[in-house]
Amino acid sequence: MSGSDPSQCPVIVTNSDAFYLDPDSALPEGPRPAVARSEYGYEFLSYPVVRQAFRDKRMQPRDVDYFRSIGASEIILEFIRDGNLNFMAPDKHDRIRPILVKAFTTSRVDSFRPEMRRIANGLIDRFIGEGHADLVGQFCHEYPISVISQFVGLPGEDVPEVAAATMHLRMLGQKPFEPGMPVLEKALRYLFGHISQVVDARRAAPPRDDFLGALIELWDGDDQLTDGELVWSVSFMLLGGHDTTRYTLSGSLVSVLEAGLWEQLAADPAPIPDVIADSMRLHPGTPRQMRVVHEPLEVAGHVLVPGDLVSLNMSAAGRDPAVFDDAASLHCPRSDPAYDIGFGFGRFACIGQTLARVEMAEAIGALTRRLANVELAGELRLKPTGVVAGFDSIPVRFIARAEQPSG
Ligand code: HEM
């Protein structure tokens, strides 16, 4: 295999507000490179290169050995091995993924819409009288964890404790890793114990036609799957469905405000799904996915070797000017190719994406219906780093609409 020396790639800094808000501002002058290097390893920046890389089996997500190498303890390794689809061994991943997909039916997601609306309206009720709010702290944070835990089938009254434990699972991505381990272990012990109890109670009661009911039935029908794998997989649903949706939803709300679409969407919510789709391109809640090279490969003239780390940079790919017209602006819908990697692509593509799209649309629907004259009341604050990132604070002022929605 021939190619240029990879160390010749431009070196860029991606852990910054500037990169998150406008990746091109952090790139060298001149034509945009397809590949660069950063603190994460190689950065794939072009949309076609990132899209192709999602399907390239010569690059794989990090695995349990990576976590062992950074000193993870046994309970953390057990979660990674038995429930964390992002990192589990390929044979187990390919056994568990189809079962989870089967339980995530579109009709099950659709029939949960009234519950999503109830959760959204309950959160709005808490601050609507104030005339101001932080849309992240007071809405985007709690909404997704309430939706995912109740969609999965955990009792609503458990949400605060479950949310608190799930928040700590973020520490899986922390550097350095070891200082956060005791908190992570405690959260995992709580989730394992709590979800095991819920599963036991459900098995002892008449079957219910919800996500957990379907999962228990599918699990019990497969003699290779263990109860531990069921409990850890449910724990992973909570992790997969929380911060990702929180940041993607906050990005969509910023897009709506920036594009001046609030009142239009209040009057006609039909374009909300298109707004979310194009906002995921501009303000992704998962701005990168990490891969490890397993076999040598050549990308845009650069040779990568086993062990190299690759960041599939969705922030940059989403604004690739060679693909997207007027790439820095929201277009709903777009006339150029639709951005289709916001939920990943290929073998590891997000299995919660139907739920996420519907729950974000319900949230934006409820907020636009109930709040009028919404305007920024302070600085937007960002968490620009990591695999999950985005707007951490959206302070707004508003007036409550006279006509309040039902349900
Ligand atoms: C807007 C919200 C969301 C975004 C942006 C998002 C994004 C992603 C991305 C980019 C991947 C691919 C990871 C990779 O290629 O390594 C992924 C995988 C995954 N997501 Fe999501 N996700 C969201 C919501 C959810 C929800 C609500 C759930 C579950 C309830 C969920 C569960 C999963 C799971 C289980 C995987 C692993 C799939 C596999 O490896 O086979 N996600 N997600």
Side-chain angles (χ1 to χ4, degrees):
M1 189 179 286
S2 65
S4 66
D5 175 358
S7 66
Q8 296 306 306
C9 283
V11 176
I12 59 173
V13 175
T14 62
N15 272 341
S16 69
D17 287 10
F19 188 87
Y20 186 86
L21 293 171
D22 177 9
D24 286 289
S25 71
L27 297 179
E29 299 258 318
R32 211 182 204 252
V35 177
R37 288 170 72 89
S38 79
E39 60 278 32
Y40 287 93
Y42 287 94
E43 293 281 354
F44 287 9
L45 304 172
S46 112
Y47 175 77
V49 168
V50 169
R51 192 168 184 274
Q52 173 57 32
F54 269 117
R55 311 195 82 152
D56 192 330
K57 290 193 168 167
R58 293 170 299 176
M59 288 170 272
Q60 298 285 339
R62 286 176 292 199
D63 58 19
V64 74
D65 289 337
Y66 165 78
F67 286 92
R68 196 175 284 117
S69 76
I70 57 172
S73 60
E74 190 44 40
I75 188 166
I76 298 171
L77 297 177
E78 197 180 304
F79 170 58
I80 303 286
R81 236 180 354 239
D82 288 352
N84 191 318
L85 267 83
N86 286 149
F87 305 127
M88 72 175 43
D91 57 331
K92 192 178 280 200
H93 173 270
D94 294 351
R95 216 154 27 88
I96 292 184
R97 179 181 164 100
I99 292 193
L100 295 170
V101 169
K102 232 183 236 175
F104 253 113
T105 59
T106 309
S107 61
R108 187 162 282 135
V109 169
D110 261 335
S111 65
F112 206 67
R113 278 182 192 267
E115 201 53 29
M116 294 175 190
R117 253 169 254 164
R118 191 192 58 73
I119 293 168
N121 281 319
L123 291 171
I124 297 169
D125 285 343
R126 291 191 200 160
F127 62 74
I128 193 153
E130 306 286 320
H132 59 87
D134 177 356
L135 291 180
V136 182
Q138 291 172 267
F139 189 90
C140 298
H141 171 63
E142 199 170 324
Y143 175 72
I145 191 66
S146 298
V147 170
I148 182 65
S149 9
Q150 290 174 67
F151 176 81
V152 157
L154 304 183
E157 61 272 20
D158 298 345
V159 167
E161 265 186 26
V162 168
T166 310
M167 286 286 297
H168 295 312
L169 301 193
R170 288 174 177 181
M171 287 180 171
L172 274 174
Q174 266 210 170
K175 283 184 189 163
F177 188 69
E178 283 192 38
M181 273 213 316
V183 177
L184 180 55
E185 288 165 353
K186 190 171 166 212
L188 286 170
R189 267 196 298 276
Y190 166 81
L191 286 172
F192 192 86
H194 180 71
I195 297 167
S196 299
Q197 272 176 15
V198 174
V199 168
D200 289 347
R202 292 291 292 268
R203 281 207 172 109
R208 266 173 42 200
D209 182 22
D210 63 359
F211 182 82
L212 187 57
L215 222 49
I216 291 173
E217 195 183 324
L218 288 161
W219 232 265
D220 290 349
D222 185 318
D223 52 17
Q224 286 188 57
L225 293 169
T226 67
D227 276 5
E229 288 166 341
L230 169 62
V231 172
W232 284 130
S233 295
V234 172
S235 310
F236 185 57
M237 294 294 106
L238 302 177
L239 172 64
H242 188 194
D243 272 1
T244 49
T245 315
R246 164 193 157 117
Y247 285 115
T248 309
L249 177 57
S250 66
S252 296
L253 289 168
V254 170
S255 294
V256 171
L257 289 167
E258 279 174 343
L261 291 173
W262 195 279
E263 288 306 316
Q264 188 186 319
L265 297 178
D268 173 16
I272 291 177
D274 286 334
V275 171
I276 293 169
D278 206 38
S279 173
M280 289 182 72
R281 185 183 64 74
L282 289 170
H283 302 310
T286 52
R288 61 162 45 81
Q289 293 300 320
M290 294 303 299
R291 295 290 188 263
V292 183
V293 174
H294 282 244
E295 290 175 42
L297 60 125
E298 189 171 328
V299 180
H302 300 289
V303 176
L304 276 63
V305 296
D308 280 342
L309 283 179
V310 176
S311 151
L312 308 184
N313 196 308
M314 290 146 91
S315 286
R319 293 181 185 230
D320 187 340
V323 177
F324 301 106
D325 239 9
D326 189 17
S329 308
L330 190 79
H331 287 227
C332 307
R334 286 211 147 251
S335 50
D336 41 30
Y339 175 72
D340 62 358
I341 58 170
F343 287 103
F345 196 69
R347 222 169 117 231
F348 301 98
C350 179
I351 63 177
Q353 58 183 290
T354 310
L355 176 71
R357 285 182 216 272
V358 169
E359 78 178 276
M360 290 190 289
E362 288 296 338
I364 296 174
L367 286 163
T368 50
R369 266 197 312 274
R370 298 193 64 189
L371 313 182
N373 293 19
V374 180
E375 52 184 39
L376 282 178
E379 291 283 300
L380 293 171
R381 199 180 60 230
L382 270 165
K383 174 206 174 266
T385 64
V387 170
V388 181
F391 295 98
D392 231 358
S393 174
I394 311 177
V396 290
R397 67 178 79 86
F398 57 83
I399 54 172
R401 282 189 208 284
E403 196 187 328
Q404 297 294 313
S406 61

